[in-house]
Amino acid sequence: MTPTIPHPSFWRPTLLALACSLALQGAQAQDSSSYAELRTRWQQQLTGAGRAAPTLPEWQAAATELADKAELHWQSMNPASTTPGMWPDLQSSSDASVLTSHYARLLLMARAYASPGSRLQGRTDLAAAIQGGLAWMHANRYRPGLARYGNWWDWEIGAPQALTSILTVMHAALSATERERDLASVDFYVPDATYRGNQPSLEETGANRLDKALIIGVRGALGDSDERLRHARDAISQTLPDVTQGDGFYADGSFIQHNYVAYTGSYGLVMLDSLSRLLLLLNGSLWAPDDPELSHVYDWTERAFRPLVRDGAMADSVRGRAIARRSSSNHSAGRSLMGSLLRLAEGAPAAQALPLKEMVKGWLQRNRYLGPSCYSGQTLSPESACAKFSLHEISLLHSLQADTGITPAPERAGAQVFASMDRAVLRHADFSFDLSLFSNRISAYESGNGENLRPWWTGMGISSLHNADQQAFDGDYWATVDLLRLAGTTTDRSSAALKNWALIKNTSNWVGGAQLEGRYAIATLDFGALNVTGSSLKGKKAWFLFGDKIFALGAAISSGNSLAVETVVENRKLNPAGSNALTMGGQLQPSTPGWSQSFSAAAWAHLAGSQAGADIGYVFPDRPTVQALRETRSGNWKAIKSQEAADTVSANYLSLAIPHGLKPTAANYSYVILPGRSAAQTAAFAAQPALKILARSTDLLAVQDSSLGLVGANFLTNGSKTLNLDGKALLTSSAKASVLMRESGDELALSVADPTQVNTGSITLDLQRAASAVLASSPGITVLRLAPTVQLQVNVAQSAGRSFEARFRLQR
């Protein structure tokens, strides 16, 4: 029988279906490889796999340390446990941090299993232990439907972040059923990067949002989910624009988290870390972000992070409650930033990548904790700080050191007022000086989760001088320093019950200052301690940040409490022997711990540094009484963070203070800090100071630096006020303002700001100088006339405390 051959039209749908089927299979194969590529990228970030650096001494030291820690956790875990935890020290069923700690230990074990150079790499018995640990966690502590307790962060960020990383590293060793089981837990607790899982009406911001985006992105790669990866990519765009309130980066470089806490060096680092990891994960893939505002990320590195880092160490003034963590120092925060910047540089365009690499290389070579020998192939001891980076970061740092085409960037001089977070910094080639202030907008401190338990004075004018002595704020500084007598503060040593997760307001909004030409600045604090410590102490404080010197001025200091009031000029951690030489007015003082003395009519002091270049001079224009104290202080970390150990630690300190007595009514002070000056140079400056106090009252704080042609003035009250110079009117302001002006040859530069941030109108300035031309001016400045006096009006409405600048050609 002859078979019937179908008409050609019969085959069209069949062939079309077959073609579609083959196309779908091809797309699925392509998608499958795309997801696998992302998993490989994430594994490389976690383990360094695929990098050509395992023979480096730093890599070997880090891999040894990783395996040592993993083995300790492996040997002490009990995956058959019927108690609340697999480890004896993780038994709480009410503290959610135990969830994060369980997964963190399992992740460390997983990294040791998968990392090149680890002696535990590929151990099947270790893989089985990790599998058992994951099963135990799902059965007992972390699975869909369990009632939450404790801190939300552990449920939605800490635990799932570690869990998704474990699933990536152990992907080949886990069955599909095991992976799907744990991904269901991640989906349950982190369904969305945009909102809080247990509070759907609460929108995530800043670092928290990007942490969640990273979790969801890795989860998408693990589960071949296009939808989850697109969600993670889109969450990046939501964090890029500058903010004007709440959490995120501000136009002036400030970074806020928790609505009112300066957090560049903690949550800001977390945000940059997550973003750098996400970009390295997604760039060049089907889910690469394509947002023109990604350029903001590179702007943050210059205006937000770089000014607050000195030789690779992050300023403590922007680390919030992280200062109370024993394992988290200014140097470890700096290492975190370096790692993030190098990850950013990996996927950045050449024009953006080069400055990042130059910046990191400069820090790397100047930081004595790391030193230029790190990542250069030299033999190092296992405990070397060089090994404190991840294996992936070590490979990036080695490539950076080996690239002779990248020149280490020097520290950049300048001055910056971070008006949106009440911080200011002066930078010099040899030092940096930063200030921590507070207002009715920015909290005096943050305490919570049992962290930062003695924080009262950390935002009330603390000043920190960072120089060649890179250990001054490291080690056990925060566990041993007298937290009621911090450098820069005017204090009565009062304290009060802590307010957790609260805005601890200043009684005044006059907090901030002006900056000029990116080189000079004023920072001012009109403060009341009432809401912080319950004390009636109040006063007006200003710091004039003038190039290579800092002029501190105080006025209207009063208190009704029966507590002695003092302004702490210095309270500095010394070398381990406590032997730094102190010279007072030319006389060398004893170096015995416990020594103290009161010096009347003190003209100057000099403290020898613990390193070459770390000497500090102090000059006292008012010739006040200065109290000096050399002490060995002991403390413990548990006193400032409840979860830390209570072992006793000690350090040596030298403090200098100007006493104001009991119940002062109108006390004042002045002193000059001269970083890097020798005793002879300090004495010479005291004999012929270039600085002059022009005004020190409840209305006006002003100084002149004749060597720089600078005048800085703070008009503290509304209504027309005039500043005089040499008995003649110099400058009149119509309202509260911070003003800087500099005369050089036939040019005059001027800057003005509204530190109160509540002026909805303008400030009118009248300067007793005649000009022939306006050379430049910021938008918002209207020049009303040039002669016979220069008069201008500055619209400061909604200016967020920023500085407005103008330059004039003077008539001579």
Side-chain angles (χ1 to χ4, degrees):
M1 181 176 180
T2 303
T4 302
I5 300 175
H7 189 274
S9 63
F10 169 84
W11 294 104
R12 291 190 186 116
T14 307
L15 291 170
L16 181 61
L18 178 61
C20 290
S21 176
L22 291 172
L24 180 60
Q25 291 176 27
Q28 288 173 337
Q30 181 183 12
D31 286 349
S32 179
S33 65
S34 297
Y35 296 120
E37 169 64 20
L38 296 189
R39 292 194 295 270
T40 298
R41 291 183 184 186
W42 188 236
Q43 183 170 16
Q44 287 176 339
Q45 290 196 48
L46 294 169
T47 67
R51 303 295 301 192
T55 59
L56 282 175
E58 297 89 357
W59 184 293
Q60 293 171 351
T64 297
E65 182 179 358
L66 173 64
D68 287 345
K69 291 179 178 178
E71 196 154 29
L72 285 173
H73 294 323
W74 181 15
Q75 298 304 325
S76 59
M77 73 180 287
N78 179 15
S81 173
T82 58
T83 66
M86 284 188 289
W87 282 276
D89 60 331
L90 298 179
Q91 293 297 314
S92 175
S93 56
S94 59
D95 180 0
S97 69
V98 167
L99 300 175
T100 300
S101 296
H102 270 84
Y103 280 125
R105 292 181 182 183
L106 290 172
L107 174 57
L108 195 137
M109 292 162 60
R111 289 174 53 225
Y113 167 80
S115 294
S118 165
R119 66 175 181 273
L120 300 178
Q121 185 180 15
R123 286 278 297 268
T124 56
D125 48 350
L126 175 56
I130 297 166
Q131 286 175 289
L134 290 173
W136 188 93
M137 286 297 292
H138 183 269
N140 296 283
R141 302 302 299 270
Y142 196 74
R143 67 175 185 270
L146 291 181
R148 299 167 185 243
Y149 52 83
N151 192 342
W152 71 271
W153 183 91
D154 293 286
W155 294 90
E156 299 186 31
I157 294 179
Q161 192 170 70
L163 177 54
T164 52
S165 293
I166 297 166
L167 296 176
T168 304
V169 173
M170 302 299 297
H171 191 271
L174 297 173
S175 69
T177 300
E178 288 172 316
R179 294 195 299 268
E180 290 167 4
R181 174 198 67 200
D182 286 331
L183 287 179
S185 299
V186 175
D187 289 341
F188 181 81
Y189 293 109
V190 197
D192 192 311
T194 309
Y195 292 95
R196 190 72 47 86
N198 62 342
Q199 295 176 264
S201 62
L202 180 60
E203 186 173 359
E204 295 290 13
T205 57
N208 291 335
R209 195 169 203 159
L210 281 174
D211 272 347
K212 286 189 167 185
L214 180 58
I215 292 166
I216 288 174
V218 175
R219 183 262 175 268
L222 287 165
D224 290 11
S225 172
D226 173 71
E227 182 272 331
R228 303 298 275 166
L229 282 161
R230 284 187 286 107
H231 180 79
R233 176 200 63 200
D234 295 343
I236 294 174
S237 295
Q238 298 156 359
T239 63
L240 296 176
D242 286 337
V243 300
T244 56
Q245 61 181 0
D247 295 350
F249 287 95
Y250 288 70
D252 67 0
S254 298
F255 178 83
I256 297 295
Q257 192 76 31
H258 295 168
N259 293 309
Y260 38 70
V261 185
Y263 253 136
T264 314
S266 180
Y267 282 94
L269 290 179
V270 172
M271 183 168 173
L272 189 67
D273 178 81
S274 293
L275 185 53
S276 69
R277 293 181 186 278
L278 259 173
L279 292 176
L280 193 53
L281 178 71
L282 299 179
N283 277 342
S285 76
L286 298 173
W287 303 276
D290 183 20
D291 189 321
E293 293 206 55
L294 273 172
S295 61
H296 277 198
V297 180
Y298 308 110
D299 293 339
W300 298 342
T301 65
E302 288 291 336
R303 57 185 166 95
F305 290 102
R306 188 173 190 171
L308 294 166
V309 177
R310 182 80 202 176
D311 296 334
M314 173 64 68
D316 285 333
S317 60
V318 291
R319 295 204 306 119
R321 70 182 196 279
I323 61 173
R325 299 168 188 164
R326 192 173 196 169
S327 61
S328 176
S329 70
N330 55 351
H331 286 277
S332 66
R335 287 196 293 270
S336 172
L337 177 59
M338 285 190 248
S340 295
L341 294 182
L342 288 182
R343 277 190 297 275
L344 273 181
E346 280 288 278
Q352 281 77 35
L354 182 61
L356 298 178
K357 293 179 178 180
E358 291 175 335
M359 195 189 315
V360 173
K361 195 166 189 177
W363 292 337
L364 186 68
Q365 296 200 353
R366 289 190 300 274
N367 189 310
R368 284 193 304 277
Y369 281 66
L370 302 173
S373 64
C374 284
Y375 317 104
S376 60
Q378 296 186 25
T379 301
L380 299 163
S381 61
E383 66 273 12
S384 169
C386 304
K388 300 304 180 184
F389 291 92
S390 73
L391 295 175
H392 179 249
E393 290 166 346
I394 286 172
S395 69
L396 296 179
L397 287 160
H398 178 255
S399 298
L400 177 69
Q401 286 283 53
D403 191 341
T404 57
I406 297 174
T407 304
E411 292 290 355
R412 182 177 295 167
Q416 188 165 344
V417 176
F418 296 94
S420 294
M421 64 178 182
D422 293 347
R423 299 294 187 267
V425 63
L426 172 66
R427 299 183 58 81
H428 184 269
D430 301 321
F431 71 87
S432 62
F433 178 87
D434 61 90
L435 291 160
S436 179
L437 314 177
F438 79 120
S439 62
N440 62 336
R441 308 171 297 270
I442 298 298
S443 186
Y445 65 80
E446 180 178 72
S447 184
N449 288 343
E451 294 184 311
N452 211 18
L453 301 178
R454 297 177 60 81
W456 304 283
W457 296 89
T458 53
M460 296 174 68
I462 179 174
S463 61
S464 303
L465 175 62
H466 304 265
N467 55 23
D469 180 10
Q470 296 178 5
Q471 298 188 62
F473 301 99
D474 197 57
D476 294 312
Y477 175 81
W478 288 105
T480 55
V481 70
D482 189 339
L483 288 162
L484 304 182
R485 299 187 70 236
L486 293 167
T489 61
T490 296
T491 175
D492 59 7
R493 310 190 197 187
S494 59
S495 60
L498 293 177
K499 302 171 185 176
N500 290 335
W501 313 116
L503 170 57
I504 317 299
K505 289 185 176 183
N506 193 346
T507 53
S508 171
N509 62 14
W510 211 114
V511 179
Q515 62 187 51
L516 178 64
E517 300 173 337
R519 300 164 61 192
Y520 313 108
I522 312 173
T524 305
L525 172 67
D526 183 358
F527 84 100
L530 186 64
N531 294 329
V532 186
T533 68
S535 169
S536 61
L537 176 64
K538 58 184 179 180
K540 302 176 189 296
K541 301 166 66 68
W543 294 262
F544 299 85
L545 311 180
F546 287 175
D548 62 350
K549 63 187 82 73
I550 300 102
F551 197 162
L553 199 61
I557 298 166
S558 66
S559 174
N561 295 350
S562 296
L563 298 170
V565 177
E566 62 181 337
T567 293
V568 183
V569 176
E570 185 63 276
N571 194 353
R572 196 161 188 86
K573 185 159 74 78
L574 304 177
N575 63 36
S579 59
N580 302 62
L582 173 68
T583 303
M584 295 293 300
Q587 298 297 313
L588 185 65
Q589 302 303 314
S591 59
T592 309
W595 167 85
S596 66
Q597 188 169 331
S598 182
F599 297 87
S600 59
W604 62 272
H606 180 269
L607 180 63
S610 298
Q611 298 285 337
D615 286 12
I616 310 171
Y618 309 89
V619 173
F620 306 101
D622 297 328
R623 302 297 191 265
T625 294
V626 173
Q627 293 177 336
L629 170 64
R630 194 184 286 270
E631 59 181 334
T632 300
R633 293 188 54 80
S634 297
N636 65 78
W637 285 93
K638 191 175 183 64
I640 57 175
K641 182 182 176 185
S642 60
Q643 301 93 335
E644 299 285 2
D647 57 301
T648 300
V649 293
S650 301
N652 295 297
Y653 289 84
L654 186 284
S655 63
L656 300 171
I658 300 171
H660 304 302
L662 296 174
K663 298 184 178 181
T665 56
N668 57 48
Y669 66 84
S670 67
Y671 60 90
V672 183
I673 302 176
L674 302 171
R677 305 286 182 101
S678 67
Q681 290 170 325
T682 303
F685 186 94
Q688 292 185 313
L691 293 169
K692 179 192 293 186
I693 299 172
L694 301 182
R696 180 170 44 181
S697 68
T698 57
D699 294 330
L700 192 54
L701 294 174
V703 303
Q704 179 193 34
D705 184 338
S706 56
S707 68
L708 295 173
L710 279 168
V711 169
N714 290 302
F715 295 87
L716 301 171
T717 54
N718 281 321
S720 181
K721 299 289 187 304
T722 298
L723 172 66
N724 293 327
L725 174 63
D726 298 328
K728 298 179 180 179
L730 173 65
L731 177 68
T732 300
S733 176
S734 67
K736 295 178 181 180
S738 186
V739 182
L740 263 172
M741 52 183 289
R742 186 178 70 87
E743 289 188 61
S744 178
D746 64 349
E747 285 192 15
L748 181 142
L750 181 143
S751 174
V752 58
D754 166 35
T756 72
Q757 302 189 30
V758 297
N759 188 334
T760 59
S762 61
I763 298 170
T764 301
L765 296 179
D766 198 340
L767 176 62
Q768 300 300 306
R769 296 286 188 271
S772 59
V774 179
L775 300 178
S777 67
S778 301
I781 291 180
T782 301
V783 178
L784 302 177
R785 69 181 184 216
L786 294 176
T789 63
V790 173
Q791 191 176 84
L792 58 148
Q793 190 175 68
V794 186
N795 180 4
V796 295
Q798 298 184 352
S799 60
R802 77 174 181 273
S803 296
F804 297 79
E805 298 190 30
R807 285 193 304 118
F808 302 91
R809 180 81 65 196
L810 292 173
Q811 289 183 5
R812 293 299 189 188

